[in-house]
């Protein structure tokens, strides 16, 4: 429920069909991809242009309600969920590619453009957009900007912030700000870089300028099968240590392999293996086979019992299938899934993987690992049943222990999913009171009244930046 | 310059100024770590004194952000390696480590930091991060800010803060590492930084072509549009003009890329001299980072790469008046101009007008003109006007980290 005046203002700004207040229809917006956090918004509004976003933001601000930006809702941190009776500003209708400029290798987009659609549109020009989160067929560029999304190929190409070259942003007072811009050499504070990954707490991006890359001439994809998870982790360290830079290195552990092979997504991985390592090289034809061969022999040296090389695109997609569909397949094993996102230094991988298995065993829980091994970005998935309160308590304890283990090893609590609601309470593991205070102050520098996506990222309390 | 092991805790008077290569300063302090620096900041705050954070003093004029300071604080004694695990391809060092010393140490491990901003040869690691500038390698490896993983620094309130870490993917909290990179010591005085490293490419080859200015520019543009990503596509606008194409990777990869560059439209009509290889190629590009060292007047024009020819025209007008030189990073649409030395009296007088006209032309094509270096009496705005909202956010950030203005550099555009 929202006040009548606000309802009227939103309808005037965007038209009646763009305002959702019906309780049943609001259900869809109750959570993001992480269903553990459910909060029904007071309303949802779906503007089409920057001007409509301005009008909407001003109206919600006047009503003193929280403003919650949301893309496709595929996030995994409870970031695009309206707590405290907020109104969701959805970007679903802002889905136009405004400029596709092949000469300057860039595109100007509305935030609701779906990540994979951009690469499809750029393909005829021999270009593509590098960051490739697993949800890329449904997630939006605006969401990627908010979360500073990664993806398997970020090992070689880097994450979203490297490719965002300019933004138009609506702040909580309705003002529009232009940040960066290709061709405008950076000078002054990097507010553009600061905005990327701000999880909707600073403002709403209404136009996004991104850099595109030439499509690599060719690709080689390998699958190495291991009897021990730690050996796969060691192979990753050895490949990087040898000076090779694959585009992606992804590990799927035994638990996940079996879940995938039992599902409709079966990819032909041996079910008695304890790890599958997918390695992909891309780039010019010249030299790529040498790189692939060197990586294959390093895998064999660390104990791979089998290394397969995809002979064509069909085989390549088959090798990737198990990795890409792993989350879907795990749904068969247990009704609930807690996915973590810690990152550790790459050389700590074998030790941390063993540690996670020990923690899982100690709490009697199944932990399935699928992760971006090349970046040291882990995704341990704890499988459980929410209806079992005792099991849920064990899951929470184990989850905290895994997080602590990763931080102690020099890692961090989230590599690409963001903090959102989910990891807010873990922020003190990586930041002390002074750092948290500074983070609060930076947030208030953009949003002094605290209306943008409140309740996310930072634990409550702090007065920094209020004067 | 005295090395860190023999540096005292403070130099005063002439010794201070000498250590800074003539920069006027009454005192230079050399704290040994963040806590000692925090004490200095605390004392300065209590006495109402202003401190200018520095490394080797390369960018002490603040690049237009500076205010007069009562003392300089150099991080030069903080020059140790805090953490280096080669297989992680990450490194944490004290901000005062010399860039050249770090490069040599990484070379021994077959690794490198592929960053080539202006002035890097004489700078410290902290100085490079605080200045946040980029060179040719940006297109292939990202800007400085894309390669900084963590920063430790002391605020104007004397608080020691640590953001980011030493992992390559990290989205815990807002990206303050990006905010602090390039903030020129106006928010914190950096004491340590963590950086992302890369394996040093087995082959480093630079192709050199020369010809008339229009042909060389067109050749550069053609190379920049190839699917092959070169590590540098630079043009020096001398007589003759020179096109400099740097290729890195494995031997087969580089050979194939070189063939593609030679087959690109236009390059065939240019005169090619012998390519430069390995250590010589690296040395050539390192020398190029010193292109504007010690030059009193430097301007940087940038616009979309497709407008390169117009950007060059704008830059050449300034260069002609200055009897100066022009160089371009073709892939990025960035063109730099430097004066040939101290400007003749008439040129110095007209420079303000000239630069403002050039800025208007750059902004008309949605580009930018930055005055990277100018004598303080020139009182030229470093950059074009920014929106009042951006200005407001910038001053809030400055007040947040340094409420009493203890750190001398101001917020940009203030």
């Amino acid at each position: 429920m929202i006040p009548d005046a606000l309802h009227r203002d939103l309808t005037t700004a965007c038209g009646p069909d763009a305002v959702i207040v019906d309780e049943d229809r609001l259900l869809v917006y109750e959570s993001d991809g992480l269903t553990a956090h459910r909060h029904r918004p007071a309303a949802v509004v779906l503007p089409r242009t920057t001007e409509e976003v301005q009008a909407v933001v001003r109206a919600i601000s006047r009503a003193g309600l929280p403003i919650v930006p949301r893309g496709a809702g595929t996030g995994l941190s409870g970031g695009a969920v309206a707590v405290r009776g907020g109104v969701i500003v959805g970007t679903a209708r802002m889905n136009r590619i405004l400029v596709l400029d092949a000469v300057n290798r860039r595109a100007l987009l509305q935030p609701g453009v779906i990540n994979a659609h951009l690469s499809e549109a750029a393909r005829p020009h021999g270009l593509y957009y590098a960051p490739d989160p697993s949800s890329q067929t449904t997630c939006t560029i605006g969401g990627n900007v908010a979360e500073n999304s990664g993806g398997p190929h970020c090992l070689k190409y880097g994450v979203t912030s490297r490719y965002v070259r300019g933004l138009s942003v609506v702040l909580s007072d309705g003002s529009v700000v232009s940040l960066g811009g290709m061709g405008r050499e950076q000078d002054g504070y990097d507010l553009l870089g600061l905005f990327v990954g701000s999880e909707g707490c600073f403002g709403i991006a209404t136009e996004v300028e991104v850099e595109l890359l030439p499509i690599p001439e060719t690709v080689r994809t390998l699958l190495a099968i291991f009897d021990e998870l730690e050996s796969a982790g060691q192979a990753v360290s050895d490949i990087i240590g040898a000076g090779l830079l694959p585009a992606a290195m992804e590990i799927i552990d035994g638990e996940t392999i079996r879940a995938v092979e039992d599902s409709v997504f079966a990819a032909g991985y041996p079910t008695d293996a304890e790890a599958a390592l997918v390695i992909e090289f891309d780039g010019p034809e010249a030299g790529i086979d040498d790189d692939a061969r060197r990586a294959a022999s390093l895998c064999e040296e660390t104990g791979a019992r089998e290394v397969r090389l995809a002979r064509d695109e069909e085989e390549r997609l088959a090798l990737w299938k198990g990795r890409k569909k792993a989350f879907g397949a795990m749904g068969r094993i247990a009704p609930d899934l807690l996915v973590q996102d810690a990152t550790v230094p790459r050389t700590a991988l074998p030790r941390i993987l063993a540690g996670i298995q020990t923690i899982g065993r100690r709490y009697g829980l199944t932990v399935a690992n699928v992760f971006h091994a090349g970046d040291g970005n882990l995704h341990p998935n704890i499988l459980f049943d929410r209806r079992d309160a005792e099991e849920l308590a064990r899951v929470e304890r184990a989850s905290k222990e895994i997080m602590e283990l990763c931080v102690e090893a020099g890692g961090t609590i989230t590599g690409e999913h963001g903090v959102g609601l989910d990891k807010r309470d873990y922020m003190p593991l990586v930041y002390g009171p002074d750092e948290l205070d500074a983070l609060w102050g930076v947030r208030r520098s953009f949003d002094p009244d605290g209306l943008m996506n409140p309740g996310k990222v930072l634990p409550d309390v702090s007065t920094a930046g209020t004067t | 310059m005295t090395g860190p092991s023999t540096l005292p805790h403070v130099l005063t008077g002439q010794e201070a100024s000498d250590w800074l290569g003539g920069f006027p300063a009454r005192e230079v302090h050399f704290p040994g770590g963040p806590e000692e620096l925090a004490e200095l900041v605390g004392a300065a705050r209590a006495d109402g004194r202003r401190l200018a954070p520095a490394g080797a003093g390369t960018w002490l004029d603040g690049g237009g952000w500076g205010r007069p300071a009562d003392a300089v604080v150099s991080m030069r004694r903080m020059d140790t390696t805090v953490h280096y695990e080669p297989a992680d391809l990450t490194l944490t060092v004290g901000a005062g480590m010399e860039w050249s010393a770090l490069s040599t140490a990484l070379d021994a491990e077959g690794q490198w930091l592929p960053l080539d901003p202006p002035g890097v040869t004489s700078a410290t690691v902290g100085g490079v991060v605080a200045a946040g500038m980029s060179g040719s390698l940006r297109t292939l490896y990202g800007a400085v800010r894309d390669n900084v993983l963590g920063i430790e620094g002391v605020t104007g309130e004397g608080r020691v803060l640590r953001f980011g870490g030493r992992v390559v993917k990290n989205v815990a909290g807002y990206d303050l590492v990006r905010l602090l990179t390039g903030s020129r010591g106006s928010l914190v005085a950096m004491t340590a930084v963590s950086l992302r490293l890369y394996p040093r490419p087995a082959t480093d080859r630079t192709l050199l072509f020369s010809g008339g200015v229009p042909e060389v520019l067109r050749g550069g543009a053609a190379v920049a549009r190839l699917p092959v990503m070169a590590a540098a596509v630079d043009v020096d606008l001398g007589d003759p003009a020179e096109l400099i194409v740097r290729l890195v990777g494995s031997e087969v990869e580089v050979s194939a890329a070189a063939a593609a560059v030679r087959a690109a439209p236009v390059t065939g009509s240019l005169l090619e001299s012998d390519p430069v290889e390995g250590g010589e190629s690296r040395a050539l590009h390192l020398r190029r980072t010193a292109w504007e060292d010690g030059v009193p007047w430097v301007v940087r024009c940038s616009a979309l790469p497709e407008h390169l020819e117009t950007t060059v025209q704008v830059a050449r007008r300034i260069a002609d008046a200055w009897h100066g030189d022009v160089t371009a990073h073709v892939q990025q649409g960035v063109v730099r101009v430097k004066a040939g030395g101290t400007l003749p009296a008439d040129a110095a007088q007209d420079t303000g007008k000239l630069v403002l006209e050039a800025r208007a032309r750059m902004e008309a094509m949605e580009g930018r003109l930055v005055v990277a270096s100018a004598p303080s009496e020139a009182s030229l705005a470093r950059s074009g006007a920014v929106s009042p909202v951006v200005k407001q956010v910038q001053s809030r950030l400055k007040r947040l980290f340094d409420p009493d203005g203890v750190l001398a550099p101001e917020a940009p555009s203030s």
Side-chain angles (χ1 to χ4, degrees):
Chain A
M1 281 293 286
I2 50 171
D4 290 344
L6 176 58
H7 194 186
R8 211 168 37 241
D9 288 346
L10 296 180
T11 308
T12 309
C14 307
D17 68 325
V19 184
I20 302 169
V21 287
D22 180 77
E23 290 294 322
D24 292 340
R25 289 177 65 203
L26 289 176
L27 261 180
V28 181
Y29 297 90
E30 210 175 47
S31 76
D32 63 5
L34 191 71
T35 53
H37 301 281
R38 293 175 194 271
H39 300 270
R40 200 168 305 178
V44 173
V45 57
L46 303 167
R48 287 184 181 80
T49 62
T50 300
E51 293 70 29
E52 287 187 9
V53 172
Q54 283 184 277
V56 157
V57 163
R58 286 200 182 108
I60 309 171
S61 286
R62 265 198 306 275
L65 294 180
I67 304 160
V68 183
R70 180 173 169 116
T74 54
L76 291 168
S77 61
V81 175
V83 292
R84 305 177 189 175
V87 177
I88 284 182
V89 180
T91 58
R93 295 182 178 189
M94 302 178 78
N95 58 359
R96 286 184 301 136
I97 297 177
L98 303 170
V99 177
L100 211 153
D101 175 4
V103 173
N104 295 297
R105 292 183 175 166
R106 68 181 185 127
L108 186 65
L109 316 161
Q110 286 195 306
V113 170
I114 287 170
N115 175 302
H117 291 182
L118 172 57
S119 286
E120 278 164 33
R123 192 179 303 134
H125 304 281
L127 299 171
Y128 80 115
Y129 178 63
D132 61 339
S134 296
S135 56
Q136 74 180 134
T137 53
T138 42
C139 68
T140 64
I141 293 290
N144 295 172
V145 169
E147 303 299 316
N148 193 11
S149 303
H153 290 80
C154 291
L155 170 59
K156 179 171 175 185
Y157 292 102
V159 292
T160 300
S161 60
R162 182 163 161 195
Y163 295 91
V164 175
R165 299 297 296 272
L167 287 174
S168 284
V169 169
V170 173
L171 302 181
S172 61
D173 62 1
S175 56
V176 187
V177 188
S178 169
L179 304 175
M182 193 186 265
R184 284 199 285 277
E185 212 196 20
Q186 171 73 39
D187 190 61
Y189 295 153
D190 184 10
L191 299 184
L192 173 68
L194 180 59
F195 191 92
V196 177
S198 60
E199 302 198 23
C201 299
F202 293 178
I204 303 180
T206 57
E207 282 182 20
V208 184
E209 184 186 35
V210 296
E211 182 176 340
L212 303 171
L213 293 184
I215 297 171
E217 194 182 340
T218 193
V219 180
R220 295 287 184 279
T221 308
L222 306 165
L223 176 73
I225 303 293
F226 292 85
D227 291 327
E228 285 174 25
L229 182 57
E230 289 87 334
S231 314
Q234 191 56 50
V236 168
S237 271
D238 291 354
I239 288 168
I240 295 285
L244 293 167
L245 187 56
M249 281 203 277
E250 302 281 308
I251 290 181
I252 305 117
D253 77 354
E255 201 65 53
T256 315
I257 290 173
R258 290 180 276 282
V260 168
E261 292 303 317
D262 281 349
S263 76
V264 291
F265 307 118
Y269 296 175
T271 52
D272 61 338
E274 284 310 315
L277 168 61
V278 179
I279 306 168
E280 187 155 285
F281 289 92
D282 69 10
E285 187 71 48
I288 200 167
D289 284 322
D290 290 347
D291 287 352
R293 263 195 298 275
R294 281 177 67 200
S297 49
L298 285 165
C299 287
E300 279 156 6
E301 281 167 29
T302 44
R305 72 176 192 213
E306 182 190 348
V307 183
R308 298 181 202 165
L309 172 68
R311 278 166 302 188
D312 51 33
E313 184 60 14
E314 200 181 323
E315 282 194 16
R316 173 178 172 253
L317 293 177
L319 294 190
W320 269 108
K321 196 173 168 192
R323 166 64 185 93
K324 297 236 169 181
K325 298 295 181 189
F327 285 104
M330 275 184 251
R332 286 172 44 86
I333 307 180
D336 291 291
L337 180 71
L338 189 143
V339 54
Q340 286 205 338
D341 179 42
T343 303
V344 296
R346 198 179 288 118
T347 48
L349 272 179
R351 179 166 65 83
I352 297 297
L353 290 171
I356 290 173
Q357 284 182 328
T358 308
I359 293 170
R361 270 197 301 274
R362 183 157 9 99
Y363 286 99
L365 296 167
T366 304
V367 183
N369 288 287
V370 186
F371 55 96
H372 310 304
D375 293 318
N377 186 189
L378 298 161
H379 292 318
N381 297 281
I382 307 179
L383 306 169
F384 66 105
D385 184 345
R386 179 167 301 282
R387 290 163 300 188
D388 180 344
E390 186 276 329
E391 189 180 40
L392 182 62
R394 274 186 286 136
V395 168
E396 281 166 2
R397 285 204 301 278
S399 178
K400 182 154 192 276
E401 269 191 45
I402 292 174
M403 209 88 91
E404 284 166 350
L405 178 74
C406 294
V407 172
E408 277 164 26
T412 189
I413 58 172
T414 174
E416 59 181 7
H417 293 172
V419 178
L421 275 178
D422 191 54
K423 291 181 266 312
R424 202 169 83 111
D425 294 339
Y426 295 115
M427 283 289 276
L429 284 180
V430 280
Y431 289 120
D434 282 350
E435 281 84 3
L436 290 171
D437 219 31
L439 289 166
W440 264 113
V442 169
R443 178 174 182 156
R444 291 195 182 105
S445 300
F446 285 88
D447 175 32
D449 298 327
L451 291 173
M452 288 307 308
N453 209 7
K456 312 291 167 59
V457 183
L458 301 175
D460 292 332
V461 302
S462 168
T463 52
T466 47
T467 52
Chain B
M1 188 182 289
T2 316
S5 56
T6 52
L7 277 173
H9 287 249
V10 62
L11 287 173
T12 54
Q14 192 60 42
E15 280 187 314
S17 183
D18 288 349
W19 192 85
L20 293 166
F23 184 86
R26 276 172 295 187
E27 294 171 16
V28 190
H29 294 268
F30 299 94
E35 286 72 25
E36 206 178 317
L37 172 60
E39 276 175 36
L40 280 171
V41 169
R45 191 179 179 210
D47 300 344
R49 296 190 317 140
R50 277 207 291 266
L51 305 176
T58 311
W59 289 288
L60 251 186
D61 64 3
W65 303 22
R67 283 181 301 177
D70 298 293
V72 170
V73 188
S74 165
M75 312 305 149
R76 208 45 199 91
R77 277 180 64 220
M78 303 179 208
D79 76 331
T80 53
T81 301
V82 181
H83 193 273
Y84 178 32
E85 175 58 60
D88 283 337
L89 289 175
T90 62
L91 165 98
T92 305
V93 292
M97 179 176 279
E98 281 180 317
W99 187 269
S100 52
L102 177 58
S103 299
T104 309
L106 293 176
D107 207 26
E109 295 289 340
Q111 298 184 344
W112 73 326
L113 264 159
L115 302 171
D116 55 356
V120 74
T121 46
S122 58
T124 59
V125 177
V128 168
V129 174
M133 292 189 287
S134 300
S136 312
L137 289 169
R138 178 191 174 149
T139 302
L140 198 56
Y141 290 99
V144 172
R145 47 182 44 87
D146 295 307
N147 290 288
V148 181
L149 305 174
I151 289 176
E152 175 193 79
V154 177
T155 68
E157 292 183 292
R159 297 195 210 190
V160 182
L161 302 183
R162 293 175 186 91
F163 288 104
R166 54 185 178 90
V167 285
V168 291
K169 273 167 88 179
N170 187 353
V171 292
Y174 313 122
D175 200 345
L176 264 59
V177 173
R178 282 187 175 250
L179 171 65
L180 299 177
T181 302
S183 67
R184 297 197 172 237
S186 64
L187 302 175
V188 299
M190 280 177 210
T191 51
V193 292
S194 298
L195 298 159
R196 179 178 186 169
L197 308 174
Y198 293 79
R200 182 180 277 294
T203 305
D204 190 322
R205 183 172 302 153
T206 300
L207 309 187
L208 301 163
F209 303 87
S210 59
V213 170
E215 292 76 28
V216 163
L217 279 176
R218 278 203 293 277
V223 172
R225 282 172 202 167
L226 291 173
V228 167
M229 299 267 280
V233 182
D234 291 351
V235 166
D236 280 357
L237 274 83
D239 183 22
E242 228 186 333
L243 168 63
I244 299 146
V245 181
R246 185 182 194 180
L247 302 167
V248 297
S250 66
E251 177 53 41
V252 258
E253 208 180 327
V254 167
S255 298
V261 168
R262 289 180 179 121
V266 193
T267 52
S269 66
L270 300 173
L271 184 68
E272 188 183 353
S273 40
D274 288 342
V276 178
E277 284 282 339
E280 273 184 59
S281 173
R282 297 205 294 265
L284 167 79
H285 292 280
L286 194 62
R287 277 198 305 279
R288 293 180 59 75
T289 63
W291 189 81
E292 59 189 64
D293 284 8
V295 178
W297 295 87
V298 180
V299 161
R300 238 184 287 274
C301 303
S302 64
L304 286 174
E306 71 169 320
H307 300 315
L308 186 72
E309 288 192 28
T310 316
T311 308
V312 165
Q313 270 176 20
V314 173
R316 288 183 90 186
R317 268 200 74 192
I318 304 175
D320 287 347
W322 286 2
H323 305 289
D325 296 308
V326 175
T327 188
H329 302 301
V330 179
Q331 294 154 302
Q332 297 153 30
V334 174
V335 180
R336 295 192 275 154
V337 188
K338 67 173 175 184
T342 313
L343 292 184
D346 56 333
Q349 267 174 11
D350 294 340
T351 278
K353 197 166 157 252
L354 188 69
V355 167
L356 288 183
E357 275 171 19
R359 175 169 286 157
R361 284 194 69 190
M362 293 312 301
E363 289 179 354
M365 37 178 198
E366 309 236 309
R368 177 171 276 169
L369 184 148
V370 175
V371 179
S373 178
S376 50
E377 63 274 16
S379 56
L380 273 173
R382 181 178 165 88
S383 200
V386 298
S387 79
V389 182
V390 166
K391 210 164 165 172
Q392 189 179 40
V393 172
Q394 287 177 339
S395 23
R396 282 181 189 149
L397 290 168
K398 171 71 179 170
R399 276 204 304 277
L400 173 72
F401 286 91
D402 183 25
D404 303 318
V406 175
L407 303 174
E410 303 218 45
S413 337
S414 55

